[in-house]
Every structure is written in structure tokens, then in C-alpha cells.
Amino acid sequence: MAGAADAGVCGVCFNHCKYESKGSGFSMVAWEEFKNAGVVPCNERAHFNNVTGEKVTFVSNQRAYTVKCYKGRIKSAMYGRGWRKFYEDNNLGKGQMVVFHLDEPSPTASILWFQVGNGSEDEQPMEEGDPIEDSDSGNEDGEASSDDGEGIVRTRGLLLNETEDAQLQGLLPLSDGFIGFAFVHRVTRTDIRLGMMKIPKKVAAATPFEEQGVVGISVDGRRFKKISYKTTDDGRIVFGSKKWKNFAASRGLKVNTAVLIGFKSSERDDVHVLVILKKLG
């Protein structure tokens, strides 16, 4: 994340949040994960939480978009079908900034071009999962590469057999209830024997995880189990070792099992995110 630090981009919200909130509007920098969720700048989070409900409707380029709002203690965000339509309709991507005025009688969003520093590539925020940035070919600790054509993230170097790939294609795209990136992973010895199951930074950044908390985790959306999690210094999510090992054993997750992992927002106060695994093959 060195590039982001050099450019003054926050590692939590992926925005320039080192300014005093005026309460009249805020800006978001568009990066790769912006398609799945727009994370509110840290210094604007409290104001955003106060002026929005479960959803908010804003107008951009004469079109109205209704998006879902996630409000957390560490991170708040806008996401959902309306958000993805806003992203696609306006061809958002790197080098763009969106300015929101959500506390007005008619909330609006304006799109601007911007340049960070001198515009050099090494000043742009880079994700750990970006292939060019990661020279480690191992996949034991959850490193990942993106597959933007499918809207998913795969463990780096992952190869699926014909049966696994056919089942994956049958599950995609995930329903609108899912948020952020789906994650395709092959369970490793580290995951099972040491209980060190990690969610890559690229996936975590597009999903409303707090710095630490509790997930409800399930195979196929049945029999959810609560497991604690925390965010590591490098931005990945790590599940509590003991409960994850118990969950994996009770659900028949073994080394080399390929899984598709999706995420949903939780309506429960004691659970931040729902994590749903589907076995492949």
C-alpha cells in the first residue's frame, strides 16, 4: 500500500480524508473496487450516517439512483444494484472523483477528473491483489488476483478442474443480495491445520468489514455460525482460529476443497457481515 500512502490516500476509506469536514458535501476517489462499493471518507462518516437512511437517492447527469447505505463505526459505504448502475452509466474509473451533496433537499453527485501528485503510476493507490505488484507466487496466505470479467477475485495461481469451473460458472453472477467481490479459493493446509483463514485486502476493501468484529458464516446459506474477525496491518481479514477450525471440520471443508465465498450485509447488531461459502466440484 506504499503508493497509496505516498499519495496521501487513507488505507481505510481509500480517499483523501485529511481535511476538516464542512458538512456541505464530500468527495470520493474512484478506484477499482469503486464498482462494488463507494466507501465514505473517514472524516465524513458521522455526517453521512446522520443524513442518510437505509437508502439514499441522488441525481447525477439528470438520472436518479437509489443506493443502499452501510453505516459502521469504522467504515460507511454506498453499495447495491443502484450503485453499480451509477458506476456503469457514468463509466467511472481511475482518474475520476465524485462529489456528493447528500444533505440537500435534492441530493446530487457530480463527476470530476483529477490527478494525484504528478500523475505517475507509483503514486496511485495499489491493491495487494494487483498482479503487477505481487511477486509472491504462493497462495498459502490468501494472496489474490482479480478477474474483472467475472466480477470475482481468485486466489493467486488458482486452477479449477473442469467440474469445479462448470459449477462456478453456474453460480455466477451472484444475486443482487451479495455485495463487493466474490472470492474463489482452494482451501489450504494453513487454512485448516493452523486455522489461518484470510480474506484478501481487495475483497475486504469492497465489503463493509469493520476493523474487528463478528461474521455469520455458513455453507450454502444454512446453519450460520458466529466467528470473530480482525483486520491485519496489511488490510486482510483473518477469522478467529479456534472457531474457524471447528466450523471447517463440522462443514466438511478439507484441504484442496475449492469454494466460492460471497458476502452479504447483516441486519443483526451483533453480526457485521454474512459470509456464505459454496463448495465447488
Side-chain angles (χ1 to χ4, degrees):
M1 197 66 186
D6 294 343
V9 175
C10 173
V12 174
C13 67
F14 299 95
N15 286 289
H16 299 272
C17 62
K18 307 297 184 182
Y19 62 89
E20 182 180 354
S21 174
K22 303 295 184 181
S24 59
F26 62 88
S27 60
M28 287 185 183
V29 175
W31 303 118
E32 185 175 350
E33 67 274 8
F34 203 68
K35 178 178 182 179
N36 296 283
V39 182
V40 176
C42 295
N43 59 321
E44 301 286 355
R45 185 177 61 252
H47 183 67
F48 172 84
N49 291 353
N50 287 332
V51 301
T52 59
E54 293 183 357
K55 297 181 180 180
V56 63
T57 299
F58 58 82
V59 173
S60 180
N61 290 327
Q62 300 182 333
R63 293 184 181 181
Y65 302 91
T66 298
V67 303
K68 296 180 181 179
C69 300
Y70 169 79
K71 304 176 185 182
R73 295 185 301 274
I74 303 298
K75 184 189 298 184
S76 293
M78 291 181 281
Y79 67 99
R81 179 190 297 179
W83 180 263
R84 290 194 296 273
K85 183 169 176 55
F86 168 63
Y87 177 95
E88 292 166 358
D89 285 352
N90 293 282
N91 296 314
L92 295 176
K94 290 184 178 181
Q96 290 176 294
M97 176 182 291
V98 184
V99 180
F100 291 92
H101 292 276
L102 301 181
D103 54 357
E104 297 180 349
S106 298
T108 61
S110 303
I111 301 164
L112 308 172
W113 284 95
F114 81 109
Q115 188 176 44
V116 179
N118 62 12
S120 62
E121 193 66 24
D122 61 357
E123 291 189 349
Q124 304 297 329
M126 296 297 291
E127 293 299 321
E128 242 177 57
D130 287 344
I132 197 169
E133 287 292 307
D134 187 3
S135 59
D136 183 4
S137 60
N139 62 11
E140 284 289 286
D141 59 356
E143 294 297 333
S145 60
S146 64
D147 187 341
D148 296 328
E150 295 175 307
I152 63 176
V153 170
R154 298 172 183 254
T155 301
R156 184 173 300 281
L158 174 70
L159 294 175
L160 299 178
N161 62 37
E162 185 175 346
T163 301
E164 292 167 341
D165 189 62
Q167 187 171 356
L168 174 63
Q169 298 309 316
L171 293 170
L172 298 175
L174 295 178
S175 69
D176 289 332
F178 286 89
I179 57 177
F181 288 112
F183 177 40
V184 183
H185 177 63
R186 191 175 297 282
V187 178
T188 68
R189 293 185 301 273
T190 302
D191 297 335
I192 298 299
R193 297 176 185 174
L194 299 182
M196 292 291 289
M197 179 62 186
K198 298 181 180 181
I199 302 299
K201 181 178 181 179
K202 183 185 292 289
V203 178
T207 308
F209 284 105
E210 299 285 348
E211 185 173 356
Q212 60 184 8
V214 175
V215 297
I217 189 165
S218 166
V219 172
D220 294 328
R222 300 188 299 269
R223 296 170 56 206
F224 280 89
K225 181 179 181 63
K226 292 197 294 186
I227 298 179
S228 63
Y229 71 86
K230 65 179 181 179
T231 305
T232 63
D233 291 340
D234 59 11
R236 286 179 284 181
I237 296 295
V238 181
F239 295 147
S241 175
K242 184 176 180 179
K243 287 191 175 182
W244 162 256
K245 289 172 70 174
N246 291 340
F247 170 80
S250 67
R251 304 305 193 270
L253 295 176
K254 301 178 181 180
V255 174
N256 289 327
T257 300
V259 292
L260 171 66
I261 306 175
F263 306 88
K264 291 186 175 183
S265 293
S266 171
E267 297 181 356
R268 293 179 47 161
D269 293 336
D270 59 339
V271 174
H272 291 144
V273 178
L274 299 179
V275 181
I276 300 175
L277 289 74
K278 293 183 180 293
K279 297 180 186 178
L280 304 177

